[in-house]
Amino acid sequence: FASLLCHLKGQRDILRNPGNDVCADCGAAGPSWGSCSLGVFICLACSGIHRNIPNVSKVKSLSLAHWEDHEVQFMADNGNELMKSKYEAAVPVYYYKPTHKDCQVLREQWIRAKYERKEFTEPGKAFTYEDGIRDGLLMKRGRDNGQFLSRRFVLSVREGTLKYFTKYDAKEPKAVIKVASINATFQPEKIGNPNGMQITYLKDYSTRNIFVYHDNGKEIVDWLNSIRAVQLHYLKVAFPGATDAELVPKLTRNFLKEGYMEKTGPRQTEGFKKRWFTLDHRRLMYFKDQLDAFAKGEVFLGNKDHGYSVFPCLPAGTHCNGAWQHGITIETPDRSFLFTCETESDQQDWLKHFNDVLSAPMSPQDFTMEALFKHRH
């Protein structure tokens, strides 16, 4: 018992070392597991992924398992910061490092890339994401029938495009997408596949969605990082003086928030209808169904100093026919938009995100986008 107490105290002391207070792989606070073969402290969710690579990582609970003296010493001698300097020595700047909020496939492939494939241990190593061309098959959801069918996708750094073809040997692509306008984000729940990815892009200044997956987790995550590599290449050409730290946030990004709200039309006399909303930076898009190819409408959210504001209520006298009573009003220089949420907590969460966007300074690209919105609407 005294030996066990001594182990626990030793672990607690080690956990206080810099970097050991968060998961080595996803950054979640308060790791409760350790890999006694790698010398890293990890969270419960990541420990499950480590357990799937037993030839590389042997995991133990910090509080429930028995630790040998030499294992505790090994953890003390290594730890998250030292192992990060080894296993993440050469992560390319464009590579998407998942957080605890990201889905399983992103976290699993990050962990496997680090410890199993040792992709990032040697500086100067060539990465598959930088081959200049990526050509392969992905399962793509049909726009009209909702069926997933195999389609050929070709990503080209030279052309700065992602193309897809309905037949493998087709001469003409079904779509040519400029990489600069792409956003790719993992959406397993929405798509109904653990490796589901949503590719959003601009077509004639309107947002278009395509939904894809691949049965192999490594393959779909490689597509994401290849798209990011090509995007960074183009951003470096477009903004030659910019630093990596300035450019990386412009690569693919997760949506700020998605979910259902009810909305009424511009005259505000129509009934409130339930719609699926996606907030992507300054663009609030709404869809009849969450897997629709095209948004039914979009709202541009500028800065609060330029005539944009949001309120946690509806204007007096609004006829609210829907079941949802928690109102939100967004004022833009041109018109107001009225929404209702199902619960107060959902209303508060949307308000927080809207206020964050309205408080953020606008970039030159944001002003360009605002002008396009005004021109279109």
Side-chain angles (χ1 to χ4, degrees), residues 33-309:
W33 289 72
S35 170
C36 57
S37 55
L38 293 171
V40 292
F41 294 92
I42 52 179
C43 69
L44 174 64
C46 288
S47 75
I49 298 169
H50 279 252
R51 204 175 286 112
N52 289 334
I53 41 174
N55 55 323
V56 174
S57 186
K58 184 184 174 194
V59 295
K60 286 188 170 187
S61 164
L62 297 182
S63 56
L64 302 173
H66 172 71
W67 288 72
E68 302 291 344
D69 286 343
H70 69 89
E71 291 172 332
V72 175
Q73 191 56 50
F74 181 74
M75 299 300 284
D77 292 343
N78 292 288
N80 290 3
E81 293 220 331
L82 185 64
M83 290 300 96
K84 193 174 197 162
S85 68
K86 175 183 176 180
Y87 288 106
E88 297 181 32
V91 182
V93 289
Y94 56 77
Y95 190 97
Y96 184 76
K97 289 187 188 181
T99 72
H100 63 283
K101 294 177 180 173
D102 281 301
C103 64
Q104 175 84 3
V105 69
L106 276 168
R107 286 184 290 116
E108 179 175 354
Q109 290 309 316
W110 167 234
I111 288 166
R112 286 185 181 273
K114 281 204 293 185
Y115 307 118
E116 186 180 43
R117 301 195 291 271
K118 296 189 174 71
E119 282 188 28
F120 314 122
T121 51
E122 296 165 39
K125 199 170 148 192
F127 291 104
T128 171
Y129 323 110
E130 296 168 26
D131 286 347
I133 194 137
R134 184 169 196 89
D135 187 333
L137 296 173
L138 295 173
M139 298 299 287
K140 178 192 168 292
R141 186 179 190 273
R143 191 179 88 187
D144 301 317
N145 60 13
Q147 268 186 309
F148 279 91
L149 296 167
S150 180
R151 295 288 181 254
R152 181 188 180 197
F153 282 77
V154 180
L155 176 71
S156 165
V157 71
R158 189 172 56 80
E159 295 177 20
T161 58
L162 176 68
K163 299 176 183 176
Y164 78 87
F165 301 80
T166 48
K167 292 192 172 61
Y168 193 82
D169 54 358
K171 296 281 181 281
E172 291 300 314
K174 180 83 166 94
V176 179
I177 305 163
K178 286 191 170 64
V179 169
S181 81
I182 286 179
N183 189 27
T185 174
F186 275 82
Q187 299 278 8
E189 283 91 12
K190 198 157 91 172
I191 294 170
N193 184 286
N195 300 342
M197 185 166 75
Q198 178 174 349
I199 295 173
T200 302
Y201 62 97
L202 286 178
K203 183 178 177 181
D204 305 326
Y205 303 115
S206 288
T207 300
R208 167 86 161 93
N209 295 323
I210 51 177
F211 302 95
V212 298
Y213 72 84
H214 195 286
D215 288 331
N216 182 304
K218 179 181 182 298
E219 185 71 17
I220 196 73
V221 175
D222 284 358
W223 271 100
L224 174 76
N225 285 304
S226 298
I227 288 168
R228 288 171 64 89
V230 176
Q231 285 183 327
L232 185 64
H233 172 84
Y234 270 81
L235 285 168
K236 282 177 178 287
V237 172
F239 306 101
T243 63
D244 287 340
E246 289 168 322
L247 296 179
V248 168
K250 296 178 189 292
L251 304 182
T252 64
R253 66 217 165 260
N254 292 329
F255 298 133
L256 296 176
K257 182 170 170 65
E258 286 195 289
Y260 285 109
M261 289 193 286
E262 291 184 340
K263 71 170 288 293
T264 185
R267 291 195 300 279
Q268 298 171 4
T269 52
E270 304 94 324
F272 278 78
K273 293 194 177 80
K274 187 176 170 185
R275 295 287 180 254
W276 177 263
F277 284 82
T278 298
L279 180 60
D280 184 10
H281 189 46
R282 291 193 178 277
R283 295 161 64 187
L284 178 66
M285 296 164 273
Y286 51 93
F287 305 83
K288 199 166 183 181
D289 180 84
Q290 53 183 325
L291 292 175
D292 283 349
F294 293 99
K296 285 192 79 66
E298 301 185 32
V299 183
F300 180 84
L301 301 177
N303 183 276
K304 60 185 180 188
D305 296 334
H306 298 105
Y308 295 85
S309 54

